[in-house]
Amino acid sequence: MNLAPKLIYGTAWKGERTAHLVISAFLQGFRAVDTACQPKHYREDLVGEALEILQDKHSVKREDVYIQTKFTPFDGQDPTKPLPYNPRDSVPAQIKSSLSKSLINLHTSYLDAYLLHSPLQTLPLTLEAWRTLMAAQDEGTVRAIGISNVYDVGVLKALEKERKVQIVQNRWFEGNAWDKEVWAYCKANGIVYQSFWTLTGSPALLTHSHTTSLADKLDVTAAQVLFKLAQLNNIVPLSGTTSELHMQHDLAAERIVFKEEVLDDYKRITDLIWR
């Protein structure tokens, strides 16, 4: 599967509805899914259940699906829920155990992408974790490796001394000033930048007159304008919508064309972000 799908279905906070929603998203046209081996916020096992149903009943083949999951450090886990590793084990052992659990949950022999859910408590521990991901990549279990929730370019530079970071997944929204420094580093260094909280975290931009005006001219929604803007700027958004209509809208954003007569409107919106 392509390393950089244009849109990924996000599965956080969906609980018992996870399988139903993943199936719905794929029947609408999604072919990429993001999850984590973190029972606190994800039901990775139900993502796997959905993928099995899609393969068995809807002929969605594994090779046509992009599956991405994450290793979540202990401080991101809920200790009252079943953990995918022994927290007293070394970091490499924790990752190997979590990765094994993810492969079982997702009914697959390999992952298209495997991310650190966040940097660990210290840079040396983060580097130790990164080397474990590198080993999994060398073994062929993981095709691409990356990191989420990293807002310090210095961490990315340290990782890249070991091996190229292929994916960064961060909040990209008005509340963190659009993560300009990390986004720019990713763009300059050929790193796939994935965004979450793109819509939920940006109510001011979605309701801004520049955005609504462009949406009206194109006969699309403000959310579609923002997703298309992201895609045009080397950003792969995650969509976690539970609405089939919004799933359709989100997928259709890729097909929007900003023709010459609306380029000034487009520039005004980008100026709000990258001013």
Side-chain angles (χ1 to χ4, degrees):
M1 185 67 186
N2 185 358
L3 174 62
K6 295 293 186 181
L7 188 67
I8 300 173
Y9 189 67
T11 61
W13 309 302
K14 292 178 171 55
E16 296 295 331
R17 300 181 65 200
T18 298
H20 167 75
L21 289 168
V22 171
I23 291 168
S24 179
F26 273 69
L27 293 181
Q28 300 309 315
F30 280 84
R31 285 299 179 269
V33 64
D34 173 86
T35 184
C37 201
Q38 183 200 30
K40 180 179 179 179
H41 293 313
Y42 292 84
R43 285 297 304 271
E44 187 183 57
D45 58 321
L46 294 183
V47 174
E49 179 182 304
L51 293 173
E52 277 209 311
I53 293 170
L54 287 163
Q55 180 167 307
D56 294 343
K57 296 186 177 180
H58 302 283
S59 301
V60 178
K61 298 178 181 178
R62 170 64 185 94
E63 58 265 29
D64 296 327
V65 176
Y66 175 97
I67 302 176
Q68 174 174 287
T69 191
K70 311 178 197 77
F71 165 76
T72 305
F74 182 66
D75 57 6
Q77 299 280 5
D78 180 348
T80 68
K81 295 183 180 295
L83 295 174
Y85 53 78
N86 185 336
R88 293 183 294 275
D89 285 347
S90 67
V91 167
Q94 290 178 27
I95 293 175
K96 290 173 185 176
S97 176
S98 186
L99 176 55
S100 177
K101 182 65 173 176
S102 289
L103 294 171
I104 292 169
N105 281 343
L106 296 166
H107 306 285
T108 184
S109 60
Y110 70 94
L111 297 170
D112 295 281
Y114 195 49
L115 313 183
L116 297 178
H117 209 156
S118 68
L120 279 71
Q121 291 182 336
T122 66
L123 183 56
L125 284 175
T126 304
L127 290 170
E128 187 176 18
W130 185 243
R131 294 183 191 112
T132 310
L133 265 61
M134 290 165 51
Q137 188 175 43
D138 291 341
E139 293 164 1
T141 309
V142 173
R143 295 192 170 175
I145 57 177
I147 185 168
S148 183
N149 294 295
V150 56
Y151 300 96
D152 181 350
V153 168
V155 172
L156 292 176
K157 289 179 177 178
L159 297 181
E160 295 218 283
K161 289 180 180 178
E162 302 288 331
R163 180 169 297 176
K164 180 174 176 57
V165 176
Q166 292 170 283
I167 299 166
V168 164
Q169 184 189 102
N170 273 2
R171 289 181 177 88
W172 184 75
F173 73 120
E174 55 198 36
N176 69 353
W178 307 101
D179 195 25
K180 290 185 183 71
E181 186 179 4
V182 172
W183 169 81
Y185 180 86
C186 290
K187 184 177 180 182
N189 290 278
I191 300 170
V192 174
Y193 184 99
Q194 299 174 0
S195 69
F196 63 99
W197 274 33
T198 308
L199 302 182
T200 305
S202 305
L205 185 64
L206 286 170
T207 57
H208 196 284
S209 60
H210 293 344
T211 310
T212 57
S213 174
L214 180 54
D216 289 343
K217 290 179 182 179
L218 295 171
D219 193 26
V220 299
T221 67
Q224 286 176 300
V225 167
L226 185 50
F227 271 172
K228 181 63 178 182
L229 183 150
Q231 291 167 343
L232 288 173
N233 287 277
N234 303 95
I235 296 169
V236 179
L238 270 68
S239 167
T241 183
T242 60
S243 159
E244 288 190 355
L245 178 61
H246 290 165
M247 291 173 186
Q248 295 166 12
H249 285 173
D250 294 348
L251 289 162
E254 184 183 351
R255 300 191 291 274
I256 296 172
V257 177
F258 290 161
K259 296 181 179 179
E260 187 173 352
E261 57 266 28
V262 299
L263 289 182
D264 285 345
D265 299 272
Y266 166 71
K267 186 178 185 303
R268 281 194 285 269
I269 300 171
T270 60
D271 287 346
L272 292 173
I273 297 173
W274 286 291
R275 58 190 169 193

